[in-house]
Amino acid sequence: MKLNINNVPQDNILIFDIEYDQNVLIQLATLTLRKIESDVFQLTRSTNIYIDPNQSVSSFFIGYTNITNDYLRYNGTDLAGARSLAHEIVFDVGTNNTLLVSHGLDNDLEILYKNGIDWKVLPNKYDTYKKAKELLHRGSLLTLKDIAQNDGFFMFNEHNAYADAWGTLHAFCWLKENEERID
């Protein structure tokens, strides 16, 4: 998959989303894009991991995400495995030449940090929520679903980190395409 994304000086883009319950990381999804020529990026890696918290997740979390305790028990890795994969992903792209992108970046980084994953060290960050708020000059209709829809991506499985990472990619592409025009 190749995408034209204007005005990204970094050679790599790392888009991510998480799901968590009471500050415990439950799901981490990433999309890694690498610049192959000026303003053209290629998807080089996607990951979607579930983390078994070794404790029951709340009924609110299950209702919100449809991720159950049984699913996590049979399909989840332990937190050490998730940390190892997260460090491998950042090692693959490097820290200085990578743009880290998320919708609600500060919160997501804080949850990762509380779970032993320090992506705060990446110096180049882009929050699609904050950028949309700035560009669109509005206080509502800033959900990931709202912004991704502008790029023609209709989210049907919200609150699943992997689906939301794809939504974040679309929101990011739309925002980058419209930054100069809207400003």
Side-chain angles (χ1 to χ4, degrees):
M1 167 187 242
K2 294 180 183 179
L3 297 167
N4 288 325
I5 307 172
N6 299 328
N7 301 318
V8 177
Q10 294 80 15
D11 288 335
N12 303 293
I13 302 170
L14 176 56
I15 294 174
F16 79 100
D17 194 70
I18 62 170
E19 297 301 335
Y20 62 95
D21 185 36
Q22 302 171 29
N23 292 325
V24 176
L25 184 63
I26 303 295
Q27 185 185 16
L28 170 64
T30 67
L31 303 171
T32 304
L33 297 105
R34 188 154 297 176
K35 188 180 284 184
I36 57 175
E37 59 187 78
S38 179
D39 295 336
V40 178
F41 288 82
Q42 182 164 356
L43 180 68
T44 57
R45 181 178 190 166
S46 77
T47 59
N48 182 27
I49 57 171
Y50 293 88
I51 299 99
D52 181 0
N54 292 321
Q55 65 187 40
S56 293
V57 294
S58 69
S59 57
F60 173 79
F61 177 81
I62 294 169
Y64 192 68
T65 65
N66 289 318
I67 300 171
T68 65
N69 290 303
D70 284 342
Y71 186 84
L72 293 171
R73 185 173 32 258
Y74 295 113
N75 299 289
T77 186
D78 60 6
L79 186 55
R83 285 184 192 130
S84 178
L85 180 61
H87 294 295
E88 175 188 312
I89 290 166
V90 170
F91 179 79
D92 283 350
V93 295
T95 56
N96 292 329
N97 207 12
T98 298
L99 180 62
L100 187 63
V101 180
S102 181
H103 190 78
L105 183 66
D106 293 338
N107 181 66
D108 289 351
L109 287 175
E110 188 61 31
I111 296 298
L112 288 177
Y113 186 78
K114 288 179 179 178
N115 285 271
I117 300 169
D118 188 6
W119 283 1
K120 293 179 181 182
V121 298
L122 282 105
N124 307 301
K125 299 174 182 78
Y126 190 102
D127 185 334
T128 57
Y129 174 79
K130 286 181 180 176
K131 185 53 87 170
K133 190 173 186 176
E134 172 191 325
L135 289 178
L136 302 175
H137 306 289
R138 63 184 186 207
S140 62
L141 297 177
L142 293 170
T143 67
L144 181 55
K145 182 178 182 177
D146 296 326
I147 300 165
Q149 188 171 305
N150 288 318
D151 195 47
F153 186 75
F154 296 92
M155 297 180 66
F156 297 103
N157 194 8
E158 299 149 84
H159 311 301
N160 175 287
Y162 192 66
D164 290 353
W166 283 99
T168 301
L169 172 61
H170 282 273
F172 174 70
C173 288
W174 185 83
L175 289 165
K176 290 303 287 179
E177 182 179 313
N178 289 282
E179 277 179 352
E180 293 175 10
R181 193 184 62 158
I182 294 174
D183 252 353

